[in-house]
Amino acid sequence: MAALDRVKVLVLGDSGVGKSSLVHLLCHNQVLGNPSWTVGCSVDVRIHDYKEGTPEEKTYYIELWDVGGSVGSATSVKRTRAVFYNLLNGIILVHDLTNKKSSQNLYRWSLEALNRDVAPTGVLVTNGDYDREQFADNQIPLLVIGTKLDQIPETKRNEVLTRTAFLAEDFNAEEINLDCTNPRYLAAGSSNAVKLSRFFDKVIEKRYFLRDGNQV
């Protein structure tokens, strides 16, 4: 069997938001029983069928790079993480729906990975406003995933999801909200599964295909 082509997708977000649990669910369709803190970076692989069910269908490896989420803007911290940002093809931004700060920090994570965080402190919040223009010409596909949906009281769920919808809009990205301890949120045929497949297809197209449809 010929080796499969592959793409590299970063999984970024603060510590404790559930990145490792998410990656395990995406790659193995199983709940991670005993998640631990990621030191440095952990890589897992998902097999994805590009344009599944069409004549163009082809199988690819999706490498998911789970980058440790220690928050820090010091130059040494960023330099350590920077080695994982080389030759990336897509980014999954992960935040905890019960932790507003983890949502706000996604702006910094994305800009850092895209090598646009020029502010020495890494602070990009000004009274809750963000410079959306920084993402206007971004060519790297982004996906925003909110975790711990089950922990939001029903009375507050609509308010939280409305806020995070604006977050995804800022990144010009689709949004998935789920509970990483329940595989049904990514069940085949569900809207979340469709969004995920569409994102991976976009990552593959950016990596291997030109705009006119010709393969690179």
Side-chain angles (χ1 to χ4, degrees):
M1 176 178 169
L4 299 179
D5 289 328
R6 60 189 62 212
V7 293
K8 175 182 178 179
V9 176
L10 296 179
V11 182
L12 302 177
D14 289 357
S15 293
V17 298
K19 298 189 301 298
S20 297
S21 295
L22 172 66
V23 169
H24 191 81
L25 183 62
L26 292 177
C27 294
H28 306 285
N29 196 32
Q30 294 177 342
V31 175
L32 182 60
N34 187 26
S36 58
W37 299 108
T38 300
V39 178
C41 182
S42 176
V43 182
D44 210 338
V45 176
R46 173 188 173 98
I47 296 177
H48 174 72
D49 291 323
Y50 170 73
K51 289 194 173 181
E52 185 176 10
T54 73
E56 292 80 26
E57 180 176 336
K58 182 179 177 181
T59 303
Y60 288 82
Y61 281 138
I62 308 290
E63 292 183 351
L64 294 171
W65 290 54
D66 173 12
V67 179
S70 298
V71 177
S73 57
T75 301
S76 59
V77 176
K78 291 184 179 181
R79 188 180 297 118
T80 300
R81 286 197 294 257
V83 299
F84 306 127
Y85 299 157
N86 293 329
L87 303 176
L88 64 93
N89 305 120
I91 301 175
I92 296 177
L93 297 167
V94 186
H95 64 110
D96 176 351
L97 292 166
T98 70
N99 182 346
K100 187 175 182 179
K101 185 176 180 181
S102 75
S103 304
Q104 294 173 335
N105 281 341
L106 292 186
Y107 293 90
R108 183 181 63 196
W109 282 111
S110 59
L111 291 175
E112 181 181 304
L114 296 170
N115 197 29
R116 298 183 187 177
D117 183 4
V118 295
T121 62
V123 177
L124 301 170
V125 185
T126 306
N127 297 324
D129 294 326
Y130 302 89
D131 182 4
R132 299 181 182 181
E133 294 302 317
Q134 295 179 88
F135 304 99
D137 61 347
N138 172 49
Q139 298 299 309
I140 301 295
L142 303 175
L143 177 67
V144 177
I145 295 185
T147 62
K148 306 182 184 181
L149 179 62
D150 58 308
Q151 297 182 23
I152 303 176
E154 287 289 342
T155 55
K156 294 185 177 180
R157 186 165 293 187
N158 187 59
E159 175 188 342
V160 171
L161 296 185
T162 298
R163 170 174 55 81
T164 60
F166 282 107
L167 180 75
E169 184 178 327
D170 282 354
F171 289 115
N172 190 28
E174 287 197 288
E175 176 189 40
I176 292 175
N177 297 309
L178 46 69
D179 166 17
C180 293
T181 66
N182 194 334
R184 74 177 178 84
Y185 282 97
L186 292 174
S190 66
S191 61
N192 285 345
V194 171
K195 289 179 182 178
L196 189 66
S197 181
R198 193 156 51 211
F199 168 70
F200 288 141
D201 278 2
K202 186 182 298 184
V203 171
I204 291 167
E205 286 171 353
K206 290 288 186 180
R207 168 65 180 86
Y208 287 104
F209 295 86
L210 298 174
R211 291 183 179 179
D212 63 3
N214 295 321
Q215 191 163 11
V216 176

